[in-house]
Amino acid sequence: MLNAIFIALIAGAVLVAAFTDTMAATNQAALDAAKHAVMVVALGLIGPMALWLGLMRVLREAGFMAQVARALEPVMRRLFPDVPAEHPAMGAMILNLSANVLGLGNAATPFGLKAMRELETLNPRPGVATDSMALFLAINTSGVAVLPLGVIAIRSSLGSTNPAGIVVPTLLATACSMVVAVLVAKVLQGRALFSAERAGANAAAAAAPSTVASSDPPEYNAGVQRRSGPIRRLLVAGFFVLLVFALVRELSSGAPSTSLFDGVKLALDSWLLPALMAAIVLFGFARRIDVYDAFISGAREGFEIAIMIIPYLVAILVGVAMFRHSGALGALTAAVSPVTSPLGFPAEALPMALIRPLSGSGGMAVMTETMTTYGPDSFVGYLVSVINGSTETTFYVLALYFGSVGVRAARHTVLACLAADFTGIAAALVFSRIFF
């Protein structure tokens, strides 16, 4: 499926460019996208990867991952029956989904890539997506987040009188897409057309033996049972008392007109990540582990993964850039508009619906341009905001995550992810009509 999509993007872009005199722009877009994929995306990912995989290793050595896995075992075992409850993959998936819910994209991606590497250690057919991989990516592309802070910030900068008005419809729309993602992934995984055996036979010639092995020793998979002493617990408690006091002090020193939402946004924007990092290292300190050595051990993986995904990033980003700059996206929008307009979907919002699964930066640019043209508080402005907050860059995620473990046969993953995208866009339209 990814092979067909890649060919369609490149061939479609070149064909449209040939008839619309945009070949020069298409050529430059391909070169710029290839450079951007390596110099900005891949290299820019090394730092966050090293940081969050290092902190994740601290949590695992301190036994936190095993505790969380046991607490969520009833739910996670139903969703991922092929993954042992205390396997490193389970903890990584939990952290990835938690980071996505909180809107921590910089943390979610490293956790997600780590989860894929650990899932690959359970894969009996290297190069073929497992059921757990497919479901994990389908949930990821449903884009669940409590607060779409990036979209809210853009709406506020454009003068919206109610920038946070999209929160409830976005939550409802993304909840619908997540439910559909899980259902479609579960239904399709049992179909003979998408069986792992059939996909494995088709990919056998191209697949190389898996070299991915868990970097976590068995004792870390089960969690280290170390009790913290009273002095360490007291020091950690004292730290967080002072931190809460400082946060309350900063919020109270702001302008009297500062709303509750502005205060929460400040806490999430500026305080959440540093406080989370401090909580992780202090948890390791309280559990008597060597926090620095654990961090270095985990961070080393970030470099390996970032190098491995470069070819896959180049492929998808070049294809998307050529498709967009050649005018093929505009032609597709014009062709689809007569079908979607009678259904109540405004033609002005169609470019957003089409570009969002392909490109995060492209989707953000289209959303901003649409709100600038029609106003952030117009119906179209609300609709594109909800779409952006309730969907994900599906093909980028697929290329990034599958590329990190060398999966070539995606099986039913693409269809499950596209079903989540379609549901998210349709639900965004329905709830935007209800609320706005």
Side-chain angles (χ1 to χ4, degrees), residues 381-434:
Y382 275 117
L383 177 58
V384 295
S385 300
V386 176
I387 290 175
N388 194 87
S390 58
T391 55
E392 186 53 90
T393 52
T394 298
F395 295 107
Y396 172 81
V397 170
L398 290 174
L400 183 68
Y401 281 35
F402 277 154
S404 69
V405 292
V407 167
R408 294 175 176 83
R411 296 176 60 212
H412 57 288
T413 311
V414 177
L415 290 181
C417 293
L418 290 179
D421 282 338
F422 179 81
T423 303
I425 293 170
L429 175 62
V430 171
F431 289 117
S432 294
R433 290 289 183 190
I434 293 174

Side-chain angles (χ1 to χ4, degrees), residues 17 67 71 89 92 132 134 151 154 187 207 254 277 279 289 352 359 385 433:
Q67 293 175 0
S132 295
V151 180
I154 292 176
V187 169
M277 293 167 60
I289 70 167
M352 179 65 192
S359 170
S385 300
R433 290 289 183 190

Side-chain angles (χ1 to χ4, degrees), residues 97 100-101 138-148 166-182 356 385-392 419-429 431-432:
L97 297 176
N100 273 326
V101 167
I139 294 175
N140 250 271
T141 56
S142 66
V144 178
V146 174
L147 283 177
I166 64 169
V167 171
V168 174
T170 297
L171 278 174
L172 294 173
T174 196
C176 292
S177 65
M178 183 182 68
V179 170
V180 170
V182 172
R356 176 60 175 159
S385 300
V386 176
I387 290 175
N388 194 87
S390 58
T391 55
E392 186 53 90
D421 282 338
F422 179 81
T423 303
I425 293 170
L429 175 62
F431 289 117
S432 294

Side-chain angles (χ1 to χ4, degrees), residues 60 69 83-92 117-119 121-122 214 221:
R60 179 169 291 112
V83 182
E86 294 184 359
H87 191 275
M90 192 68 80
R117 287 177 67 85
E118 296 297 345
L119 287 172
T121 65
L122 302 172
S214 177
N221 298 349

Side-chain angles (χ1 to χ4, degrees), residues 277-295:
M277 293 167 60
I280 291 173
V281 299
L282 288 176
F283 183 78
F285 165 77
R287 299 300 290 267
R288 299 176 181 274
I289 70 167
D290 191 328
V291 174
Y292 180 76
D293 282 350
F295 178 89

Side-chain angles (χ1 to χ4, degrees), residues 7 23 34-35 60 73 97 100 111 173 192 205-206 223-224 239 300 307 343 348 357 372 378 385 404 410 429:
I7 293 173
M23 195 64 79
K35 181 179 180 180
R60 179 169 291 112
E73 181 177 2
L97 297 176
N100 273 326
F111 291 150
V224 180
F239 173 87
R300 192 173 292 117
I307 297 301
L343 299 177
E348 299 83 357
T372 301
S378 65
S385 300
S404 69
L429 175 62

